Amino acid sequence: EAGVVQSPRYKIIEKKQPVAFWCNPISGHNTLYWYLQNLGQGPELLIRYENEEAVDDSQLPKDRFSAERLKGVDSTLKIQPAELGDSAVYLCASSLAEKETQYFGPGTRLLVL
Amino acid sequence: AQRVTQPEKLLSVFKGAPVELKCNYSYSGSPELFWYVQYSRQRLQLLLRHISRESIKGFTADLNKGETSFHLKKPFAQEEDSAMYYCATRAGMPSGSARQLTFGSGTQLTVLP
């Protein structure tokens, strides 16, 4: 079992450019989470999916961030346009259900220049 | 709003010494408390949760509702315990509040030989 898979692992872009992150959850996990982790801080939830439905996106900055989970499996998180302050690690996690243990991916480290 | 405080960014102890990583939370009601760990070059993973009342890798954590604390303890630290530790809280059931995990900012534990 590979666990939660994320790609790319690292991304360097210039500000105002778009960027996308991809997440493949553990097979059978209905709940998928995207977290933002700034340097020296703990992860902060951006959005939670139950199957293909976004059930908690209150922390997602919707002016520049968007996410989708087509067919309730893989998910993509997009930033357009990126800003310098978006430099961080973006973590994806999945769980069988909302109350169950969350399993984290390795994260995507984004650097915006 | 839920808040988790880990007052120590860095903590160093010698091998064989007792270790305590502090965690205080602010939340009304009966939250669920967790400790997550991230070893070097590995992904974030669940260490233990208060409802399980179990010992994992020699670590225990007791929920003290009076002091709103959930400190992580181990009587004899090992070098392999060196890692980043995050305390997290989530609203308990039933709850009308958001059920998202709220993480503290983490404590980097170094166990010296």
Side-chain angles (χ1 to χ4, degrees), chain A residues 32-52:
Chain A
L32 184 146
Y33 312 78
W34 282 103
Y35 288 89
L36 164 68
Q37 185 172 21
N38 287 304
L39 187 65
Q41 301 296 319
E44 300 172 36
L45 182 69
L46 288 173
I47 189 168
R48 173 169 66 92
Y49 282 93
E50 294 291 343
N51 298 302
E52 65 273 13

Side-chain angles (χ1 to χ4, degrees), chain A residues 2-4 35 37 40-43 45 56 58-59 98-102 104-106, chain B residues 9 32 36 38 43-46 49 86 90 93 98-106:
Chain A
V4 176
Y35 288 89
Q37 185 172 21
Q41 301 296 319
L45 182 69
D56 185 356
S58 57
Q59 309 292 340
E98 182 266 338
K99 66 176 182 178
E100 301 297 330
T101 298
Q102 294 184 29
F104 284 81
Chain B
K9 280 284 188 188
E32 297 177 31
Y36 280 78
Q38 187 167 24
R43 55 190 69 190
L44 191 62
Q45 59 186 289
L46 178 67
R49 53 203 306 173
Y86 294 95
R90 182 172 68 186
M93 293 293 284
R99 290 267 298 160
Q100 65 188 59
L101 275 176
T102 298
F103 286 86
S105 56

Side-chain angles (χ1 to χ4, degrees), chain A residues 6 8-13 19 21 34-44 46 64-65 77 79 82-92 106-113:
Chain A
Q6 290 187 248
R9 294 294 310 278
Y10 304 92
K11 188 73 176 180
I12 301 175
I13 61 171
V19 65
F21 314 124
W34 282 103
Y35 288 89
L36 164 68
Q37 185 172 21
N38 287 304
L39 187 65
Q41 301 296 319
E44 300 172 36
L46 288 173
R64 298 183 300 106
F65 286 66
L77 177 69
I79 308 175
E83 297 179 352
L84 295 177
D86 296 330
S87 295
V89 175
Y90 292 83
L91 294 168
C92 179
T108 296
R109 187 176 296 275
L110 174 67
L111 179 59
V112 182
L113 302 176

